[in-house]
Amino acid sequence: MGQQLGNRQGGFVAVVVFAALAVAGCSPAANGNGSSPSPSAAPSSASSIASASASATPSGSSSATVNAMVPGFPTQLIPIMPGATPLSTSYDASANPQAASLVASTSSTSDQILDFYSKAFTAQGFTAVAKTKVGTTDSQDFVRSGGKETINVAVVVVNGRTTFTVGASVAPGTIK
């Protein structure tokens, strides 16, 4: 189980780091000329990157959107933290286990984000695993059903902007 959680954590950490870099405008490719964009260009760069990936979402029961909550997103499973702005969401009701993810930004601290989601997930029967730090990314896993259902929260601060990713993999019928 530890290796399984480690692999998931690494994937979510990569997603949150990519999202944070895109939002912060740190990707040279984001503006097409090889130079770093100015901070004011970051949101449009992030939107264009996220829009490209959202448009590549396969049809069926899965969906994704940018700068909003995707219709049908399971907010009872993954609530949006008060004061947070969604950057992208996705939900795949056809998968087994079902998958949902939220990428958002906020002015809250990493500890405040992890505390908010710890309360939300433990209230749903998940057990919190010890918080970890990988480089500048804070992360916490939550498990339920003997480790068959997992949620990961990863938080990174880049250029003063806090971005977090919440990814869940749960049994069908447990997402509402």
Side-chain angles (χ1 to χ4, degrees):
M1 182 173 85
Q3 180 63 29
Q4 197 173 28
L5 288 175
N7 289 342
R8 285 192 177 125
Q9 179 179 341
F12 288 114
V13 169
V15 168
V16 79
V17 169
F18 172 77
L21 291 174
V23 169
C26 294
S27 171
N31 67 1
N33 65 11
S35 64
S36 295
S38 66
S40 63
S44 63
S45 298
S47 296
S48 63
I49 291 169
S51 295
S53 63
S55 64
T57 302
S59 61
S61 298
S62 63
S63 57
T65 193
V66 178
N67 297 325
M69 302 299 282
V70 69
F73 187 83
T75 55
Q76 290 190 348
L77 175 69
I78 304 175
I80 183 75
M81 183 178 181
T85 302
L87 301 176
S88 67
T89 56
S90 66
Y91 177 46
D92 187 353
S94 66
N96 186 1
Q98 292 182 337
S101 68
L102 163 70
V103 179
S105 66
T106 182
S107 60
S108 298
T109 67
S110 182
D111 285 339
Q112 290 170 324
I113 295 165
L114 293 175
D115 289 346
F116 172 82
Y117 283 105
S118 182
K119 289 174 187 169
F121 299 141
T122 57
Q124 296 178 59
F126 285 87
T127 300
V129 177
K131 296 176 186 177
T132 60
K133 188 169 193 88
V134 179
T136 60
T137 303
D138 293 318
S139 180
Q140 187 165 21
D141 291 309
F142 301 87
V143 296
R144 183 170 73 180
S145 303
K148 293 179 183 174
E149 296 181 295
T150 62
I151 298 178
N152 173 268
V153 180
V155 185
V156 67
V157 179
V158 175
N159 294 332
R161 185 176 180 121
T162 305
T163 302
F164 64 93
T165 298
V166 182
S169 176
V170 298
T174 61
I175 289 184
K176 296 181 172 49

